[in-house]
Amino acid sequence: MSFPEEVYALVRQIPPGKLATYGQLAFLCGRPRAARIVGAAMLRAPEGLPCHRVIYRDGSLCCDQAFGGKEIQRRMLEAEGVRFLPDGRADLRAHAWEGPQLPA
């Protein structure tokens, strides 16, 4: 499986109302220094992938190149119950995804 495919497989597992960071996804794929590559993969992601749930490590939203802009991404997240801090960043403490569920 290619690196972007690994990233997409993880993104599919992020439930509504939860957030992952680019660096977190890179780490989970075994490439902890590849956060920018994860970002590039998100820009080329297949339609229907919940890329709006992937944000910067400080809670900032994606660049304006994706989703039609930050406001659209914010609306998508708010529709899933994600709260935002007064400075406009997503509340990662309240909505952080802890990673994929391991088989029991």
Side-chain angles (χ1 to χ4, degrees):
M1 183 181 309
S2 72
F3 183 70
E5 290 169 339
E6 288 181 58
V7 171
Y8 300 153
L10 284 172
V11 173
R12 284 184 190 94
Q13 296 179 55
I14 305 169
K18 293 295 181 180
L19 303 168
T21 68
Y22 297 100
Q24 176 186 11
L25 294 174
F27 178 83
L28 290 170
C29 288
R31 294 182 62 186
R33 300 178 63 88
R36 288 185 181 195
I37 298 171
V38 171
M42 292 295 95
L43 287 174
R44 296 186 309 273
E47 182 138 355
L49 195 70
C51 298
H52 63 285
R53 297 178 188 148
V54 182
I55 62 174
Y56 294 114
R57 68 180 176 196
D58 69 350
S60 298
L61 301 182
C62 183
C63 58
D64 287 330
Q65 297 169 316
F67 316 108
K70 293 177 185 177
E71 287 307 311
I72 292 174
Q73 183 181 17
R74 181 178 174 132
R75 278 183 272 168
M76 293 169 79
L77 292 171
E78 286 176 329
E80 295 181 356
V82 173
R83 292 188 309 263
F84 285 80
L85 301 171
D87 65 4
R89 293 177 298 134
D91 187 348
L92 262 173
R93 289 186 184 205
H95 299 283
W97 179 55
E98 296 192 16
Q101 296 293 321
L102 300 175

